[in-house]
Amino acid sequence: METIAFIGLGNMGAPMASNLLAAGLNVQVFDLLDSLTKPLGQAGAKVCHSIEDVVAGADSVVTMLPAGEHVKRVYLGEGDSKGVIHSVGKSTLLIDSSTIDPESARLVADEAAQRGLDFADAPVSGGVAGAAAGTLTFIVGGSERAFKRAEQVLGHMGKNIFHAGDSGCGQMGKICNNLMLGILMSGTCEALNLGIANGLDPNVLSNIMLQSSGRNWALELYNPCPGVMPNAPASNQYQPGFMTKLMLKDLGLGLEAAAQSQSPVPMGALARNLYAFHSMHGNQEVDFSSLFEFYRAQQG
Ligand code: NAD
């Protein structure tokens, strides 16, 4: 039976690894926080305590880490750790599903290639709910061969798997998507707050916009106003979900890419400033849809 090493069992990694277990694969898990690996151990995964341990005997490695610096550390090694690339067998497939800068993804892919290893950058869209339901969208960068191999593993965790292009293109596709999402969520919060401030019921207004040209993903699946959508983070004190600090990171990646290609991103820059302000006011760790509370707080 195929063995998958899974590193990073946070909000996204834990449900993704659970789906690999549910598919009947051997799953070995590692996170810096033991409290996060324990439930997976109880569900049948092998709990490991180092990078070297977790990748031993693995056919594929999947990582789900916060940012580029963590991905470089885990793959290239640091201190006592040799890193994934220098600890795996020759035919092991490497998949990073974190959202990071394309340059770091290409650096890790190049290092992997020097050892003859296939590496795919495969960031996801779909959030914690999509991770739990196994319906994530994967946006993959890498060679045709890496993509074909990755597709087999990713199919256990997602529904749509796109080959965006060479190494780094998966990350670039994801960055464009999240620039759009950051803008959409800000606009959705703004419109809902405006309606409420002028006497509209947020449930009624949401329904109107869902059937009109203001319809969008945030309204449809992730309404930021508490009480409108029982399963959205907004109705659970904005927990769990996609943390404000991660949206801020992604918008920063969008702005960096825009600076490199000299692309105009005025809307993305404005959205980034809104999230930066919101984050600075103690909201780093809550779901990004809590930006709605920022609008409520500014309301005269
Ligand atoms: P998270 O912070 O909940 O999880 C990251 C995990 O990585 C943590 O448990 C942390 O302990 C672990 N980690 C960090 N460094 C490590 C190391 N050196 N070795 C082992 N484990 C290490 O973050 P998340 O919400 O699960 O997001 C993960 C990635 O997925 C991010 O890049 C994020 O931008 C992206 N993403 C998140 C969502 C979402 O809705 N949460 C959606 C799409 C994409």
Side-chain angles (χ1 to χ4, degrees):
M1 200 196 302
E2 211 176 325
T3 297
I4 316 275
F6 206 112
I7 305 173
L9 286 310
N11 287 330
M12 293 294 285
M16 289 167 72
S18 294
N19 282 329
L20 293 174
L21 272 176
L25 305 177
N26 282 327
V27 182
Q28 309 183 155
V29 293
F30 171 61
D31 193 289
L32 294 179
L33 300 173
D34 286 342
S35 58
L36 297 179
T37 49
K38 214 168 156 196
L40 283 144
Q42 284 159 354
K46 180 179 172 204
V47 174
C48 301
H49 300 284
S50 70
I51 301 276
E52 287 73 11
D53 232 14
V54 75
V55 303
D59 299 296
S60 305
V61 176
V62 182
T63 46
M64 197 53 174
L65 301 160
E69 71 217 61
H70 308 92
V71 172
K72 284 191 276 191
R73 211 174 292 149
V74 163
Y75 280 93
L76 308 179
E78 189 186 68
D80 289 343
S81 170
K82 285 191 293 176
V84 170
I85 288 175
H86 296 284
S87 306
V88 293
K90 281 268 179 240
S91 60
T92 309
L93 168 68
L94 310 178
I95 303 172
D96 176 44
S97 283
S98 328
T99 302
I100 67 169
D101 58 295
E103 206 181 323
S104 296
R106 283 192 284 266
L107 177 80
V108 174
D110 286 349
E111 287 281 330
Q114 282 179 28
R115 265 212 73 205
L117 298 165
D118 284 330
F119 173 88
D121 49 294
V124 306
S125 177
V128 175
T135 56
L136 291 171
T137 294
F138 286 92
I139 311 164
V140 185
S143 67
E144 192 63 39
R145 191 179 64 176
F147 173 71
K148 287 275 172 246
R149 291 183 69 195
E151 227 180 350
Q152 308 292 317
V153 178
L154 301 178
H156 297 298
M157 302 180 281
K159 206 167 60 169
N160 298 304
I161 305 168
F162 294 103
H163 191 192
D166 292 340
S167 290
C169 288
Q171 295 298 348
M172 203 53 237
K174 167 70 183 173
I175 287 168
C176 293
N177 180 73
N178 275 25
L179 182 94
M180 184 66 180
L181 174 62
I183 295 167
L184 273 179
M185 183 57 87
S186 320
T188 302
C189 293
E190 195 163 304
L192 284 170
N193 180 61
L194 176 68
I196 294 165
N198 286 278
L200 281 174
D201 179 316
N203 290 285
V204 173
L205 177 57
S206 295
N207 275 335
I208 293 168
M209 291 196 289
L210 271 176
Q211 301 306 325
S212 308
S213 43
R215 179 177 184 168
N216 68 69
W217 182 91
L219 264 183
E220 214 168 328
L221 297 169
Y222 217 94
N223 196 299
C225 175
V228 173
M229 203 171 266
N231 296 328
S235 298
N236 189 35
Q237 282 86 45
Y238 297 102
Q239 302 276 356
F242 181 43
M243 289 184 273
T244 299
K245 68 178 180 190
L246 292 179
M247 175 48 93
L248 186 56
K249 173 202 69 169
D250 290 358
L251 287 166
L253 293 176
L255 264 56
E256 272 170 34
Q260 276 166 22
S261 58
Q262 298 190 5
S263 309
V265 284
M267 303 285 284
L270 186 51
R272 190 197 169 275
N273 285 341
L274 282 170
Y275 283 105
F277 190 78
H278 186 53
S279 194
M280 266 169 10
H281 284 78
N283 298 300
Q284 308 93 301
E285 309 269 321
V286 289
D287 184 73
F288 80 117
S289 63
S290 61
L291 187 71
F292 179 74
E293 299 296 339
F294 161 79
Y295 280 94
R296 296 305 290 155
Q298 309 309 310
Q299 182 61 46

